[in-house]
Amino acid sequence: MKLEFRGHDERYTVEQSLLNLFPGELPVYEPIRPGDDAWAMVSCREEEGRLLVTTDLRYRGETATAFHTAALSGTDYDREGQRRHAVGSCFFQAYRARTGNTPPWGMLTGVRPDKLVTEALAEGKTPAAARRLLEEAYFVTPRRAALALETGTAAFEAAKGLGPRDIAVYIGIPFCPTRCAYCSFVSQSVEKSFSLVDPYVDALTAEIESGGRMAQEANLKVRAMYMGGGTPTTLTAPQLDRVLFAFENAFGRALDRCGEITVEAGRPDTITAEKLAVLKAHGVHRVSVNPQTMEESVLRAIGRRHGSGDIEEAMELAARCGFPHVNMDLIAGLPEDTAEGFRRSLDRCLEFGTDNVTVHTLALKKGSRILLEGLTIPGPEAVGEMLDYAEPALRNAGYAPYYLYRQKYMSGSFENIGWTRPGGECLYNIYIMSELCSILSFGAGGSTKMVDPARRLIQRRFNPKYPKEYTERPDKLRSNQADFAAFYAR
């Protein structure tokens, strides 16, 4: 779609709206000519302290026009945000006038739609006012605004328990038994990269040891640790033991207030009694068993080598170990799945009695086999049916939503939601999704995030992306940790 701006250069705002509202369309910056059938002209001017924005949008033979006005006030930073919102709002309204559609999350394009609620509550607004903000200023549908109010309130409450030197830790294990059809994460199939695992564990434990010393010297306190992937239980029991021992030993007194250690066991075909015993011995509070589906045909379609019976065995093993919390993940919209199949999967997961269930919506990721091989997936209406069944089923079973996030290219422009029974919240998920505290990341592809909520300051540092590169770049790891320490030395 051709884009032309007059009186402003809010490219990022309009581009993100375009990609969200018109899947498949890409921004083109060329003059609009007679006969062009996909274009938008967005004009903006200031008059007496107000913004006047106009959007003319043509798409598939018809043109729509939208107007938006907004007051300008406050600092330059405030006015910049007001301008971005006005331009985005006007573009969205032109889209809605042309198509008649209102996506579930309205004009919101970001990962964390409920962050607006958390911020509004922190500013002293009432829950009702926070919900109105979503519905009236961002065109979020009432149902999604209600969800965001619940999860944003959970984040607001979680923030009250954090101090200025509280952090969370992420440990990444970028290996899986095989690569799933929907995946584009930086993860290696162990079948193809077995020789990388031992050197990776060596480099990872060394990074954890230096990071733990840094955290203790900076007087930081770890409130939650999350080991994810990939599939952490791709490691052997001795390798898991080694990584967890390194974490405990290196962080020492920094773990005095750590009330949550989570390991995303993930793939049922990697879960054994020996590995779970190691996790239990190290005080792991929560494990995840992530079937994604209980339908045999769907498991085959996504490249899983296990069946639903293996999922049941993994859950029985986890139950016998007596972990305080167990999570199960499902994905709505997988290849070969149907609304009926998803319903059967969710119902079976609820029978296990786990206190956490995460319902993801399929995101079509570049590099995934779904796109590369053109696999057949359910349409947005079918995905909507799946989610429409999930919410009341989970609520009736005693669950409530406690965190949510969105990704690009999600089927139907929906969301991922973590559901929990009372007391089963995974605080790490809230911390990272709501950006409540710093996340110190270890491992290949790790994204360390330094957060100062008081100043609304966020800085990021990234580890080398691939396991081999990671093992060969200890200098980069040291540099990232030095920057983390400097952030807290201010």
Side-chain angles (χ1 to χ4, degrees):
M1 178 179 286
K2 289 186 176 181
L3 299 178
E4 186 173 315
F5 301 151
R6 296 182 178 179
H8 69 100
D9 191 25
E10 293 293 343
R11 288 194 176 202
Y12 182 80
T13 298
V14 177
E15 285 178 0
Q16 292 304 301
S17 296
L18 171 66
L19 295 173
N20 184 51
L21 299 172
F22 295 95
E25 292 284 346
L26 295 175
V28 177
Y29 292 98
E30 295 177 359
I32 298 171
R33 303 184 186 282
D36 288 342
D37 199 39
W39 53 264
M41 182 182 295
V42 186
S43 305
C44 180
R45 71 178 191 275
E46 294 184 25
E47 286 187 5
E48 299 178 351
R50 295 189 67 80
L51 278 175
L52 307 177
V53 187
T54 304
T55 298
D56 297 302
L57 185 149
R58 184 169 182 81
Y59 189 66
R60 295 182 178 176
E62 295 184 23
T63 304
T65 300
F67 304 93
H68 184 84
T69 64
L72 285 172
S73 61
T75 65
D76 289 344
Y77 178 83
D78 295 331
R79 295 163 73 91
E80 182 180 334
Q82 292 156 7
R83 185 175 293 103
R84 281 198 303 269
H85 180 267
V87 168
S89 177
C90 193
F91 185 86
F92 175 83
Q93 291 176 75
Y95 159 83
R96 191 165 63 170
R98 167 61 191 84
T99 65
N101 296 331
T102 298
W105 290 101
M107 65 176 280
L108 293 175
T109 61
V111 173
R112 304 169 182 85
D114 61 349
K115 194 173 182 182
L116 290 166
V117 171
T118 306
E119 291 176 346
L121 296 176
E123 292 168 359
K125 292 185 173 64
T126 66
R131 180 170 173 171
R132 282 198 303 274
L133 173 71
L134 291 177
E135 294 184 21
E136 297 174 5
Y138 294 93
F139 310 101
V140 177
T141 61
R143 178 176 168 187
R144 261 55 192 193
L147 277 173
L149 180 60
E150 289 182 89
T151 58
T153 300
F156 175 67
E157 295 299 327
K160 294 177 181 178
L162 289 170
R165 305 190 82 79
D166 287 345
I167 67 169
V169 167
Y170 179 84
I171 298 176
I173 309 296
F175 300 101
C176 283
T178 57
R179 193 177 184 88
C180 294
Y182 53 81
C183 183
S184 67
F185 288 147
V186 181
S187 58
Q188 304 276 333
S189 165
V190 168
E191 291 179 327
K192 298 179 179 179
S193 57
F194 181 78
S195 62
L196 293 176
V197 179
D198 276 337
Y200 182 83
V201 172
D202 290 341
L204 179 62
T205 53
E207 186 193 13
I208 291 171
E209 287 162 1
S210 63
R213 289 194 298 270
M214 178 273 294
Q216 290 201 68
E217 290 168 1
N219 195 31
L220 302 176
K221 298 297 181 184
V222 178
R223 299 301 303 276
M225 186 275 268
Y226 192 102
M227 186 187 294
T231 305
T233 43
T234 303
L235 299 184
T236 65
Q239 288 168 339
L240 284 168
D241 181 65
R242 187 178 169 198
V243 172
L244 288 167
F245 176 79
F247 168 70
E248 295 162 355
N249 188 57
F251 280 86
R253 67 177 184 276
L255 299 178
D256 290 347
R257 299 183 64 203
C258 183
E260 179 180 283
I261 299 176
T262 299
V263 175
E264 190 178 342
R267 295 274 291 264
D269 47 339
T270 67
I271 297 172
T272 67
E274 183 185 12
K275 293 176 185 179
L276 293 180
V278 168
L279 303 186
K280 186 68 174 176
H282 283 281
V284 170
H285 303 95
R286 180 188 310 268
V287 295
S288 294
V289 179
N290 299 337
Q292 316 304 6
T293 177
M294 298 294 287
E295 295 284 287
E296 301 290 349
S297 61
V298 182
L299 287 169
R300 289 193 297 272
I302 64 176
R304 292 289 183 96
R305 292 184 176 176
H306 62 80
S308 59
D310 299 302
I311 298 167
E312 294 178 359
E313 289 179 12
M315 288 299 294
E316 289 173 6
L317 284 174
R320 286 205 297 268
C321 284
F323 291 100
H325 306 288
V326 179
N327 177 74
M328 300 187 81
D329 279 15
L330 292 175
I331 300 178
L334 289 173
E336 306 300 328
D337 207 0
T338 62
E340 294 78 13
F342 179 84
R343 183 184 69 242
R344 287 192 293 267
S345 293
L346 179 59
D347 288 348
R348 183 67 190 98
C349 287
L350 294 179
E351 290 174 6
F352 289 115
T354 176
D355 65 354
N356 266 247
V357 176
T358 306
V359 178
H360 297 270
T361 300
L362 178 68
L364 296 174
K365 301 174 182 177
K366 296 177 183 178
S368 68
R369 284 202 299 111
I370 289 177
L371 291 183
L372 294 175
E373 299 177 12
L375 301 182
T376 302
I377 59 173
E381 288 186 3
V383 175
E385 285 185 51
M386 297 175 187
L387 300 180
D388 286 345
Y389 177 80
E391 180 175 349
L394 286 157
R395 290 190 187 277
N396 290 338
Y399 297 82
Y402 77 99
Y403 82 100
L404 69 81
Y405 66 102
R406 301 180 68 212
Q407 295 168 276
K408 291 182 179 179
Y409 315 118
M410 298 186 82
S411 295
S413 192
F414 292 115
E415 66 285 315
N416 306 318
I417 302 179
W419 296 83
T420 184
R421 285 179 169 151
E425 295 84 352
C426 178
L427 289 174
Y428 177 88
N429 286 333
I430 299 176
Y431 294 161
I432 190 168
M433 290 305 165
S434 297
E435 298 179 322
L436 300 184
C437 67
S438 295
I439 309 291
L440 177 59
S441 293
F442 299 101
S447 174
T448 285
K449 186 179 294 186
M450 296 166 279
V451 179
D452 184 341
R455 292 186 291 164
R456 294 192 174 184
L457 176 65
I458 297 177
Q459 296 179 0
R460 294 172 174 83
R461 297 294 183 272
F462 302 97
N463 279 2
K465 191 173 184 180
Y466 298 102
K468 189 173 187 300
E469 181 190 9
Y470 169 80
T471 63
E472 296 170 348
R473 292 289 311 278
D475 57 315
K476 174 60 175 170
L477 310 180
R478 289 193 295 268
S479 173
N480 288 350
Q481 290 183 10
D483 289 346
F484 196 91
F487 186 84
Y488 282 94
R490 302 178 184 187

